[in-house]
Amino acid sequence: MAENRTMSRMFPEGTGPAADPAGSHFERRIRSFQPRRSRVTTGQAEALRRMWADWGTDIDGQRILDPDAMFGGLPVVLEIGFGMGEATARMAADDPGTGILAVDVHTPGQGNLLRLAEEHGLTNIRVANGDAIILLREMLPAESLAGLRIYFPDPWPKKRHHKRRLIQPEFLTLAAGRLKPGAVLHCATDWEPYAEQMLAELTAHPGFENTQREGGYAPRPAFRPLTRFEGQGLDKGHVVRDLLFRRVREFQLRAAEGDVAEHPSVTGPA
C-alpha cells in the first residue's frame, strides 16, 4: 500500500503509469510475475511524465485497444517483460517497420525504455503498464498481433511455484487467439528445465507448430539482441534456448475462451 501511495504522488492520474491499473475489477489469480522494487531515477520519472500521455497505456481491462491505430497501420508485436528496455529499443531501431507494444510492471524500466525511445527518435514503441494476461484477454482483438516475444520470463525454479510460470496451456490458447495466422511466438530462457517445459507445451498445443523442421530449439535469431542479463547467464555457464513457434492457420477461435474480437468499444492509445 505504501508503494502505491508513493506512485500516486509521483504520477498523478494521466501523467504516468498507475500503481494498480486493473484495480479490483478482475479476479486475483495466481500471478506469473513478481513486481520488483527499485528507485525511479529523475531521468526515468521525467521521461514518464513527458511521454506517458501519448506513448503509454495502463492495462485496466476496461476498453479494447486498436493496435493498428496505435502504430499507424504497422504490424504490431507484443513483448511481455522487457526489463530496462535496452534490447527492446535496439529491436525497434533495427526494424522501424514494426510496432512494439512492450508490457511490464517495472516502473524504472518503463521510464528507461521511454527515455531510450526519445533519445534515439524511435516512434514505433508503446509501453503498457500492468498484467499482460489482462491485456491479452480483455483489451486486444482476436488475430491482431503480428508476433509475440517473451524473453527470459521468471522461471519460478521451485517446484511448488511452477504453477506461476507463464507458459502454460491456458496462456498459449489465449495467445494463439490474439496472434494472426502465421505469426510467431518467440520465447527465450536460460533455465533449462523451463525450456524443456516450454518446448513440451508448445509442441503439444494445437494452435502452434515449430518453425524448426526437425523440432526442438531454434538458433538465436539475429534480430534478438544479446542482453546484459543474457550475457551474465552465459558467463555463469547457462545455456540459452530460443523457441520459435508459428500460429497455425487452422486454429479455431472460440468465444468461450474469452475472445474479445466483437467487443463494441475499440479505442486507440490511452
Side-chain angles (χ1 to χ4, degrees):
M1 292 295 292
E3 185 178 14
N4 287 357
R5 287 195 296 271
T6 300
M7 281 280 289
S8 299
R9 289 194 297 270
M10 185 179 295
F11 302 113
E13 186 174 355
T15 66
D20 186 13
S24 59
H25 295 296
F26 299 97
E27 74 281 4
R28 291 296 178 182
R29 59 177 179 79
I30 296 172
R31 294 277 174 87
S32 62
F33 60 88
Q34 186 171 352
R36 292 170 290 156
R37 293 189 176 123
S38 57
R39 190 176 67 86
V40 181
T41 68
T42 299
Q44 293 161 359
E46 289 177 350
L48 285 164
R49 293 190 188 100
R50 281 197 309 274
M51 303 174 68
W52 188 258
D54 295 321
W55 290 44
T57 190
D58 281 317
I59 300 173
D60 57 13
Q62 302 301 301
R63 60 211 153 86
I64 304 302
L65 301 177
D66 182 347
D68 285 339
M70 293 177 79
F71 291 93
L74 295 179
V76 178
V77 169
L78 176 65
E79 182 178 358
I80 297 178
F82 55 81
M84 294 305 291
E86 294 97 339
T88 305
R90 202 178 319 167
M91 288 187 289
D94 290 343
D95 185 12
T98 295
I100 300 178
L101 178 56
V103 184
D104 211 305
V105 295
H106 187 49
T107 310
Q110 294 166 351
N112 198 57
L113 178 54
L114 289 178
R115 181 188 64 79
L116 290 170
E118 184 178 49
E119 183 179 310
H120 297 288
L122 306 175
T123 60
N124 57 330
I125 291 174
R126 299 294 183 272
V127 174
N129 168 53
D131 190 335
I133 299 292
I134 294 176
L135 175 67
L136 282 164
R137 191 183 66 202
E138 308 290 343
M139 298 179 68
L140 289 176
E143 299 187 347
S144 60
L145 297 174
L148 175 56
R149 297 168 181 165
I150 306 172
Y151 298 155
F152 305 99
D154 195 325
W156 295 102
K158 294 180 181 178
K159 187 173 182 178
R160 70 177 184 271
H161 291 154
H162 286 185
K163 60 189 175 183
R164 295 182 178 274
R165 288 177 173 174
L166 182 61
I167 306 302
Q168 308 275 1
E170 296 80 6
F171 171 79
L172 294 178
T173 296
L174 177 59
R178 300 298 173 259
L179 289 167
K180 298 177 186 292
V184 170
L185 166 57
H186 181 192
C187 301
T189 182
D190 66 340
W191 193 261
E192 190 70 21
Y194 197 11
E196 293 170 358
Q197 178 190 329
M198 289 180 178
L199 182 59
E201 299 285 12
L202 281 161
T203 301
H205 196 279
F208 293 95
E209 62 183 4
N210 201 330
T211 61
Q212 306 302 298
R213 287 188 176 183
E214 304 301 321
Y217 304 112
R220 181 175 70 87
F223 67 79
R224 183 175 72 76
L226 183 69
T227 66
R228 180 173 50 186
F229 174 85
E230 183 177 357
Q232 292 170 350
L234 292 171
D235 289 343
K236 296 175 183 176
H238 296 185
V239 176
V240 175
R241 301 294 192 185
D242 283 81
L243 302 94
L244 283 86
F245 276 72
R246 184 179 296 108
R247 200 278 226 182
V248 301
R249 296 185 180 278
E250 297 79 12
F251 182 72
Q252 296 296 311
L253 300 177
R254 287 173 293 189
E257 293 168 348
D259 187 0
V260 297
E262 302 302 322
H263 195 289
S265 175
V266 178
T267 68

